[in-house]
Amino acid sequence: MYLGVRRREITKDQLDHPAYRRFCREIFTPLADMLEDLAANGVSIRIVGVPKSPSCGVRITSVGGEPGKSKEFHHRHVQEPGVFMEEIIKELKRRGVKFEIEDARR
């Protein structure tokens, strides 16, 4: 939604800025309200991420990538969540919502 479907390959480093984090919090807030209500009423919450995604990865995300114009794009994968997942985790913990979270299996 933030960059559209025609974007080039991107990494967590490139998404990790205040405007994108604010966007993530804004789109997640109504869902966090619903998850908080569901959890308070006994529903188990399980969030599934997208492995290696710079935004939606849970255990592995993409980092690196040279700034500016380049013909080749180099990046690597690290063991940490993407930007959007970091914001989801932070908000649900702040609200005291119990949840499980994992990347989808391939």
Side-chain angles (χ1 to χ4, degrees), residues 39-85:
N41 286 285
V43 175
S44 296
I45 306 299
R46 183 169 176 238
I47 298 167
V48 179
V50 180
K52 301 178 184 175
S53 167
S55 191
C56 296
V58 174
R59 304 269 184 253
I60 299 174
T61 190
S62 300
V63 297
E66 298 297 320
K69 296 179 182 178
S70 64
K71 291 184 179 181
E72 292 185 40
F73 186 82
H74 302 282
H75 68 278
R76 66 188 193 287
H77 296 111
V78 294
Q79 300 266 330
E80 62 186 52
V83 176
F84 187 44
M85 287 298 161

Side-chain angles (χ1 to χ4, degrees), residues 77-95:
H77 296 111
V78 294
Q79 300 266 330
E80 62 186 52
V83 176
F84 187 44
M85 287 298 161
E86 285 180 342
E87 293 300 321
I88 287 173
I89 292 165
K90 193 182 331 178
E91 181 62 16
L92 292 179
K93 283 183 176 180
R94 185 186 73 75
R95 292 171 181 241

Side-chain angles (χ1 to χ4, degrees), residues 24-36:
C24 291
R25 289 189 300 271
E26 287 171 1
I27 65 169
F28 184 64
T29 296
L31 297 172
D33 293 342
M34 181 181 67
L35 294 176
E36 183 177 18

